[in-house]
Amino acid sequence: MERRLLPCLLVLFFLSAAAVGSPAAPLYGWIMSFARRRREVSYAIDCGGTEDFDGPFNRRWTADSFYSGGGIPGTERTLRAFPPSSAGKKGCYGVPVPPGRYYIRIFTAYDNYDSKLRPPSFDVSVEGTLVFSWRSPWPGKIARDGAYSDLFAAVTDGQADVCFYSIATDAPVIGSLEIFQIDWLAYGAADHILVNYGRLTAGGRLFGPGFTNDTDQFGRVWQSDQGFLMDSAKSKVLTASRPILGANQRPNFFPTHLYQTAITTASGVSALEYLFQVDTRLDYMLWFHFAEIDPAVTAPGKRVFDIYVNKDKVTRMDIFKQVGGFAALKWQYVARNLTSTPLSVKLVPISGAPLISGLENYAMVPLDLATVPSQVAAMNALKQSLRVPDRMGWNGDPCAPSAWDAWEGVTCQRSDDKRALVITQLDLGSQGLKGYISDQISQLSNLVYLDLSGNLLSGGIPDTLGSSSLVLALLNGNRLEGQVPEKLYSIGVHGGAIDLSGNKGLCGVPSLPACPFFWSKGGLSTGGKIAVGVAAAVVLAALLLAVYLFCVRKGRHEYDFAPSQDLMCKHPDSL
């Protein structure tokens, strides 16, 4: 099974399925106080939908046309497909959000919308990091009914990017996209994306926003532990008879509902064991949730058990000793660099029977390198100015994820400090581009090769074009005009190569006509602007001199402020 398809199979809620914050952190308290004064951002996007609507459980769904980069609506159900023939290899959703941490849930469905009887193969990235891989054929129930997958990720640039990359000629598909802003410090691990491989409520039924009326401040959905719990016939369910204390607190806001049920064993000698199918070579963050909801347990030592992860004893747990009865207890553990699957979590009794209310398992996916932000901005500016067609798939990060090809016609490599990706080549010859070259191309400071030949570009060449790295610039066969910048021409002088042929309006360098005095880059040159300024100054001076001679000098000895006789109206009788 392909890497990172597993979380889709684990979190898959089919359509047929109906550490407390530290008081010694004043800065964090101030941040949270500020955050509470504004409304947190959330989106429920109906992919392929054409109208907003109100769904079950008070969910407001928004049509996706404003957020989607490329793609077409599905024809038989509400989904969006990204055919590479029209949307390019990479289609994206770009959702404007403030910088912060987010819970992102994706619903993926196929249901033979294209009548091809073959679900597509594609990858999914969030914020430039590969998180899911779908490979054909899909399991039959998922292909028909669809599946949910979710994760936690940070957004730092004001836009959440969820992108889809076509494998071969397959068209990626998506049914819905939900984004919930959460606490900045939730779950920790800000330098990773946490991909859900199982978020379980022990002894309870599936619950969460969009599925039930039970609340979860982060929008999380909790699925039943059935299918993960081994020998469930030997277990029994407990239900709280009193309110639970200590739940729904920052930074993770685990819902109170989670701690109102628990699984224990029918006898005190049996262990509880959960198995999670996982991808190897990754670290996994486990969150354990406990609440002593058995009124018969009234003192420490009555329920004690050891926790094993993959046969390694990681801690001994006495819930009542730590928090007392009917109170929420959270505990986290990271399993490092797994080399085998499944991941085993076992609760072995020491005194009394083991008990658990919930369990979460997240793959800790390291953030991929991203393109230098200034170069991302430059590429987006060029996308607009060059009128790059949708078929080229210029969406999301130009270079990331590094496992994918960069934007069509773009070549990237690691920066000198190995901490980011930079753009080294633009190969856009004969693409039918009809715009102009944005000044922001100067931000591509690592550009070595530039080919914009054989297009219909007009206007002037930016003065800033010609980075210290650029050794080849092909601008021939366009409609460029104006003076060629010295910085660009110097590339050829210093051992590089440029081709400016076929641009009848270019001038000012050897092999091209001389530029008119007043002409540069399709407009006035600096000299022309100076000449116009001087001419304007001369005209203004002449006007002022005329006013002076007519008004000031004429009335030098006249001190009577009454109108002159020549300007006063005369009554007819006086004539």
Side-chain angles (χ1 to χ4, degrees):
M1 186 169 293
E2 292 294 332
R3 185 173 182 266
R4 295 195 182 94
L5 174 56
L6 288 173
C8 300
L9 303 179
L10 296 174
V11 189
L12 333 245
F13 307 120
F14 301 116
L15 289 178
S16 57
V20 177
S22 169
L27 177 59
Y28 176 73
W30 179 87
I31 293 173
M32 290 307 301
S33 175
F34 175 80
R36 282 191 292 270
R37 289 197 293 268
R38 61 170 175 78
R39 185 178 181 181
E40 291 183 339
V41 172
S42 67
Y43 290 90
I45 299 174
D46 176 30
C47 301
T50 57
E51 296 181 354
D52 299 352
F53 68 95
D54 293 317
F57 307 107
N58 300 314
R59 299 300 303 282
R60 180 66 176 171
W61 289 88
T62 303
D64 72 343
S65 57
F66 179 74
Y67 307 105
S68 172
I72 59 172
T75 55
E76 295 195 11
R77 64 179 300 165
T78 305
L79 58 83
R80 181 167 292 275
F82 295 89
S85 59
S86 59
K89 295 284 287 184
K90 185 177 182 180
C92 295
Y93 281 83
V95 183
V97 295
R101 195 159 173 80
Y102 290 85
Y103 170 62
I104 298 175
R105 183 163 64 227
I106 300 170
F107 176 67
T108 306
Y110 172 63
D111 198 26
N112 196 31
Y113 81 95
D114 57 1
S115 301
K116 293 183 178 179
L117 296 174
R118 183 184 178 277
S121 295
F122 61 94
D123 290 339
V124 184
S125 74
V126 171
E127 289 298 286
T129 295
L130 177 62
V131 290
F132 304 124
S133 293
W134 289 85
R135 295 295 181 267
S136 187
W138 302 3
K141 188 172 178 63
I142 296 176
R144 183 181 66 254
D145 297 333
Y148 284 88
S149 49
D150 64 70
L151 51 85
F152 297 102
V155 177
T156 59
D157 60 357
Q159 177 171 290
D161 287 327
V162 180
C163 296
F164 306 85
Y165 187 79
S166 169
I167 303 299
T169 59
D170 288 358
V173 289
I174 178 174
S176 67
L177 174 62
E178 298 170 84
I179 300 177
F180 301 83
Q181 187 173 15
I182 65 174
D183 192 287
W184 260 110
L185 301 182
Y187 287 91
D191 55 346
H192 290 75
I193 290 179
L194 300 181
V195 178
N196 180 13
Y197 274 65
R199 183 185 303 109
L200 312 179
T201 172
R205 296 181 178 179
L206 178 148
F207 75 91
F211 293 86
T212 68
N213 285 319
D214 303 291
T215 60
D216 184 297
Q217 186 162 326
F218 289 174
R220 291 163 295 203
V221 175
W222 301 78
Q223 64 185 122
S224 168
D225 62 349
Q226 298 302 307
F228 296 86
L229 177 63
M230 307 301 295
D231 295 326
S232 58
K234 298 180 180 180
S235 64
K236 67 177 183 179
V237 177
L238 298 181
T239 303
S241 58
R242 289 162 44 188
I244 304 297
L245 303 176
N248 202 36
Q249 295 186 1
R250 69 188 190 200
N252 296 314
F253 292 96
F254 295 121
T256 302
H257 186 82
L258 176 64
Y259 300 94
Q260 293 174 335
T261 61
I263 283 285
T264 186
T265 57
S267 66
V269 297
S270 299
L272 290 173
E273 184 177 14
Y274 289 88
L275 294 180
F276 297 92
Q277 298 297 324
V278 295
D279 293 316
T280 57
R281 301 183 302 278
L282 288 173
D283 296 341
Y284 286 82
M285 177 182 289
L286 294 163
W287 282 84
F288 296 80
H289 300 277
F290 307 103
E292 184 52 78
I293 58 176
D294 185 348
V297 177
T298 57
K302 288 195 171 184
R303 189 191 306 276
V304 181
F305 52 91
D306 289 337
I307 299 178
Y308 287 79
V309 175
N310 281 350
K311 300 182 180 180
D312 294 328
K313 177 182 173 181
V314 294
T315 193
R316 176 163 290 184
M317 184 63 62
D318 185 334
I319 303 170
F320 195 96
K321 182 178 181 180
Q322 294 199 46
V323 295
F326 295 90
L329 173 63
K330 290 80 67 176
W331 186 73
Q332 177 209 338
Y333 176 78
V334 175
R336 303 285 183 184
N337 194 27
L338 295 191
T339 58
S340 63
T341 188
L343 170 63
S344 169
V345 174
K346 184 178 287 189
L347 281 57
V348 179
I350 300 298
S351 174
L355 175 148
I356 189 168
S357 294
L359 182 59
E360 299 174 84
N361 180 31
Y362 298 102
M364 302 178 67
V365 181
L367 297 180
D368 204 343
L369 295 179
T371 307
V372 172
S374 61
Q375 297 197 14
V376 175
M379 291 299 291
N380 283 318
L382 285 170
K383 176 183 176 180
Q384 298 301 319
S385 72
L386 298 175
R387 302 181 190 176
V388 175
D390 290 343
R391 62 176 171 76
M392 296 187 69
W394 278 34
N395 301 299
D397 188 301
C399 302
S402 56
W404 297 357
D405 292 334
W407 286 0
E408 184 176 343
V410 178
T411 302
C412 307
Q413 67 180 32
R414 291 194 176 196
S415 60
D416 291 340
D417 61 8
K418 310 300 182 185
R419 300 174 61 183
L421 298 172
V422 294
I423 294 161
T424 57
Q425 293 188 29
L426 290 182
D427 189 357
L428 303 175
S430 302
Q431 293 291 344
L433 306 179
K434 299 179 181 180
Y436 65 93
I437 304 172
S438 169
D439 288 340
Q440 291 201 40
I441 196 171
S442 64
Q443 298 297 318
L444 304 181
S445 56
N446 305 93
L447 194 62
V448 176
Y449 177 96
L450 174 64
D451 182 3
L452 294 173
S453 64
N455 289 294
L456 300 171
L457 301 178
S458 58
I461 301 174
D463 289 331
T464 53
L465 178 58
S467 72
S468 59
S469 303
L470 191 61
V471 297
L472 179 64
L474 305 178
L475 302 178
N476 52 296
N478 283 286
R479 299 174 178 176
L480 300 171
E481 54 190 13
Q483 183 164 354
V484 176
E486 292 183 7
K487 189 175 183 181
L488 175 64
Y489 185 72
S490 67
I491 294 172
V493 176
H494 293 95
I498 60 172
D499 189 345
L500 304 173
S501 62
N503 293 282
K504 295 181 179 180
L506 290 179
C507 58
V509 296
S511 78
L512 292 177
C515 291
F517 177 71
F518 296 110
W519 187 259
S520 174
K521 290 180 59 181
L524 288 173
S525 66
T526 302
K529 293 175 182 177
I530 293 174
V532 171
V534 171
V538 170
V539 172
L540 179 60
L543 288 174
L544 291 175
L545 179 60
V547 171
Y548 171 78
L549 292 175
F550 181 77
C551 298
V552 178
R553 187 174 181 182
K554 180 177 182 294
R556 179 175 296 173
H557 302 294
E558 298 175 1
Y559 297 98
D560 185 358
F561 289 95
S564 67
Q565 293 296 319
D566 293 335
L567 297 178
M568 293 180 66
C569 291
K570 296 181 182 294
H571 195 276
D573 293 340
S574 65
L575 298 177

